[in-house]
């Protein structure tokens, strides 16, 4: 029986699948004509059916009764991965929900290819978890276990920025030393790789990889920072207790601002705690707003408005963060946004500098910068990186497809 081989880019915000095709690779249309599938699952309470991608987000936005899960990749390597969340009358571990999404990627690929899809290279960030080798290895093992449970028999891993380098190499005509920048929803990863048409034919590329680094900062972190700074104060964050001796506990506000922790608020215990916080608050009216948002399961909708504001500031100088009910709508300028994410951007830039140093190169030795991942569109992040290598040629790749294409090329090398 004919089978297909390919690569899976399971992303924090979006996922793609690439299939090896002769000497090149192509992306699978996963949702209509779209080659990206938002990494989202919606569990409808009407018939207990799971919906995926844009359909999941649309169902949630339309007010269909159910539970939305996003940023699933962020639970890998964390204490959340084996915890269970309540979905109507049953409980599911987060790792099993990850498995459901991978199963859907496999199902849609097989429907497109009309053949079994059992051999895959899975993309992974340079670090699932910063500064914790054990947790990082655990995260990869969890992802492999989830994939095998869905019927994948041959599994390999490749760093996502290396996969992007393999995609970029398809278009080069001579020898280059390229800085690969892959800034996605959950991580920012960097590699310095020697590429050329001749090197592309080599079976072993280990010596061409000069350096690899990553940091657990991405688009969802920028969302969280904006929400904490500009939205959560409207819900009582950092306001004092009525005795004036301390500020209200921050934990639930941080959860509401963090994509993969929002569902933790939808429990009886969390609601009871919020009511106690309201009782202790000097501004109970603000905490009441928080309670209303949680009670109506509007956490993901609120995070979505923050994300849209971030995206709007890619081109605009000012935007608004749409708030539910009668809550004041914060205005957010590009300058506000840049200041809010400044420390995170500085960590990203420092990681790029360290990657160049690890390679034993100077900035002038980098001939090109290849940019992929949705967060490379953020002006402050993009500028901070590019000013480190001012002489390099800048190449914008497919922000959401380069890694999946490169993983397919790697799959052909490993399994073809």
């Amino acid at each position: 029986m004919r089978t297909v081989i390919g690569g899976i880019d399971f992303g924090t915000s979006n996922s793609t699948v690439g299939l090896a095709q002769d000497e090149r690779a192509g992306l699978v249309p996963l949702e209509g004509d779209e080659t990206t599938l938002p990494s989202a699952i919606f569990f409808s309470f009407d018939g207990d059916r799971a919906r995926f991608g844009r359909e999941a987000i649309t169902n949630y936005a339309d007010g269909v009764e159910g539970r939305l899960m996003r940023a699933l990749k962020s639970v890998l390597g964390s204490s959340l991965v084996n915890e269970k969340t309540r979905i109507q009358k049953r409980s599911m571990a987060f790792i099993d929900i990850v498995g459901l999404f991978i199963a859907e990627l496999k199902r849609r690929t097989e429907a497109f290819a009309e053949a079994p899809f059992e051999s895959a290279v899975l993309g992974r960030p340079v670090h699932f978890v910063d500064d914790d080798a054990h947790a990082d290895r655990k995260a990869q093992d969890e992802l492999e276990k989830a994939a095998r449970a869905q019927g994948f028999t041959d599994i390999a891993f490749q760093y996502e920025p290396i996969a992007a380098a393999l995609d970029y190499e398809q278009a080069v005509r001579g020898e280059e030393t390229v800085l690969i920048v892959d800034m996605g929803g959950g991580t920012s990863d960097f590699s310095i790789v020697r590429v050329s048409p001749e090197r592309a034919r080599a079976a072993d590329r280990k010596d061409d990889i000069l350096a690899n680094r990553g940091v657990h900062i991405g688009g969802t972190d920028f969302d969280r920072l904006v929400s904490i700074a500009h939205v959560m104060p409207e819900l009582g964050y950092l306001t004092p207790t009525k005795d004036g001796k301390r500020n209200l506990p921050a934990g639930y506000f941080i959860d509401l601002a963090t994509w993969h922790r929002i569902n933790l608020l939808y429990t009886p215990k969390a609601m009871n705690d919020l009511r106690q916080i309201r009782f202790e608050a000097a501004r109970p009216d603000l905490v009441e707003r928080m309670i209303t948002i949680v009670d109506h399961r509007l956490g993901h909708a609120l995070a979505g408005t923050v994300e849209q504001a971030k995206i709007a500031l890619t081109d605009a100088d000012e935007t608004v963060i749409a708030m539910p009910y009668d809550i004041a709508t914060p205005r957010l300028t590009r300058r506000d946004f840049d200041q809010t994410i400044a420390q995170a951007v500085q960590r990203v830039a420092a990681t790029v500098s360290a990657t160049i140093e690890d390679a034993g190169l100077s900035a002038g030795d980098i001939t090109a910068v290849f940019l992929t991942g949705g967060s490379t569109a953020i002006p402050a992040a993009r500028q901070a990186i590019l000013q480190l290598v001012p002489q390099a040629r800048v190449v914008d790749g497919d922000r959401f497809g380069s890694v999946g294409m490169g993983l397919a090329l790697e799959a052909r090398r490993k399994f073809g």
Side-chain angles (χ1 to χ4, degrees):
M1 180 183 293
R2 184 179 76 91
T3 62
V4 293
I5 60 175
I8 297 176
D9 178 19
F10 170 47
T12 302
S13 300
N14 294 278
S15 296
T16 62
V17 176
L19 293 182
Q21 300 172 341
D22 300 324
E23 293 302 311
R24 297 192 62 80
L27 294 178
V28 175
L30 292 172
E31 196 168 20
D33 294 332
E34 299 287 348
T35 56
T36 59
L37 185 70
S39 303
I41 302 178
F42 182 80
F43 294 97
S44 171
F45 292 168
D46 180 13
D48 200 26
R49 176 189 165 197
R51 295 174 173 87
F52 299 85
R54 292 169 187 82
E55 185 185 8
I57 296 168
T58 298
N59 272 256
Y60 175 78
D62 288 346
V64 176
E65 189 73 14
R67 293 284 300 278
L68 180 69
M69 313 290 288
R70 287 193 67 179
L72 296 168
K73 187 177 180 179
S74 298
V75 306
L76 296 173
S78 77
S79 60
L80 282 178
V81 71
N82 290 312
E83 288 191 16
K84 293 187 175 182
T85 185
R86 191 78 176 169
I87 300 172
Q88 206 169 16
K89 296 181 180 180
R90 61 192 170 113
S91 294
M92 288 188 68
F94 283 98
I95 189 61
D96 293 331
I97 296 171
V98 169
L100 276 181
F101 190 82
I102 292 173
E104 186 66 13
L105 292 175
K106 183 176 188 290
R107 187 190 70 79
R108 295 187 185 204
T109 300
E110 290 177 337
F112 169 75
E114 298 181 336
F117 178 31
E118 298 171 349
S119 301
V121 174
L122 304 180
R124 58 151 295 163
V126 175
H127 299 297
F128 279 104
V129 182
D130 290 342
D131 303 320
D132 190 334
H134 174 73
D136 186 74
R137 181 66 203 185
K138 181 173 176 284
Q140 179 173 308
D141 289 345
E142 290 161 352
L143 183 55
E144 180 173 353
K145 182 179 178 181
R148 289 196 184 280
Q150 307 311 321
F152 286 98
T153 55
D154 300 310
I155 295 174
F157 285 88
Q158 182 56 275
Y159 291 133
E160 289 154 1
I162 298 299
L166 297 176
D167 178 47
Y168 171 69
E169 190 172 45
Q170 302 301 296
V172 302
R173 296 187 177 182
E175 179 93 6
E176 293 188 17
T177 301
V178 58
L179 167 64
I180 305 295
V181 176
D182 179 15
M183 290 187 67
T187 59
S188 294
D189 294 310
F190 312 99
S191 294
I192 296 176
V193 187
R194 291 194 187 102
V195 298
S196 72
E198 293 73 28
R199 293 181 187 274
R201 292 191 286 270
D204 185 356
R205 301 298 301 276
K206 181 173 62 177
D207 292 339
D208 293 336
I209 303 168
L210 305 185
N212 245 343
R213 275 195 183 238
V215 62
H216 205 275
I217 294 173
T220 57
D221 297 284
F222 299 141
D223 297 342
R224 175 177 51 83
L225 292 170
V226 170
S227 186
I228 289 170
H230 301 280
V231 174
M232 292 303 128
E234 300 292 337
L235 309 181
Y237 176 61
L238 292 183
T239 60
T241 55
K242 56 189 172 186
D243 61 12
K245 293 182 178 179
R246 65 188 189 281
N247 287 337
L248 298 179
Y252 285 126
F253 297 101
I254 304 301
D255 287 346
L256 188 60
T258 306
W259 276 105
H260 65 281
R261 296 188 67 84
I262 291 171
N263 281 302
L264 300 180
L265 290 162
Y266 301 151
T267 66
K269 181 184 183 303
M271 183 58 72
N272 288 336
D273 289 347
L274 287 171
R275 288 175 179 140
Q276 181 61 34
I277 290 170
R278 178 182 59 189
F279 175 76
E280 297 173 356
R283 290 288 308 275
D285 57 312
L286 298 183
V287 182
E288 182 62 34
R289 296 171 173 175
M290 171 84 158
I291 290 172
T292 300
I293 287 170
V294 172
D295 190 41
H296 289 83
R297 304 292 198 269
L298 292 175
H300 287 93
L302 183 61
T305 65
V306 174
E307 180 184 38
Q308 289 304 310
K310 175 193 69 178
I311 293 170
L313 290 175
T314 299
D315 300 310
D317 293 326
E318 184 175 318
T319 189
V320 296
I321 302 174
M323 301 287 283
Y325 304 113
D326 61 346
I327 305 173
T329 299
R331 302 194 74 79
L332 186 67
T333 66
R334 171 81 67 79
R335 182 173 180 176
D336 293 334
F337 177 57
D338 290 350
Q339 289 175 343
T340 300
I341 67 171
Q343 288 188 336
V345 169
Q346 287 171 9
R347 285 185 61 199
V348 168
T351 306
V352 174
S353 294
T355 309
I356 296 172
E357 185 176 340
D358 289 348
L361 302 176
S362 67
D365 295 322
I366 305 298
T367 56
V369 180
F370 182 69
L371 300 164
T372 187
S375 294
T376 57
I378 296 173
R382 184 185 181 94
Q383 181 180 355
I385 293 168
L386 294 183
Q387 69 184 8
L388 296 174
V389 284
Q391 297 176 332
R393 182 169 55 92
V394 179
V395 180
D396 283 290
D398 182 335
R399 286 181 184 157
F400 302 106
S402 289
V403 171
M405 294 277 282
L407 291 172
L409 294 169
E410 180 76 353
R412 186 186 66 211
R413 179 176 298 153
K414 286 187 177 295
F415 304 128

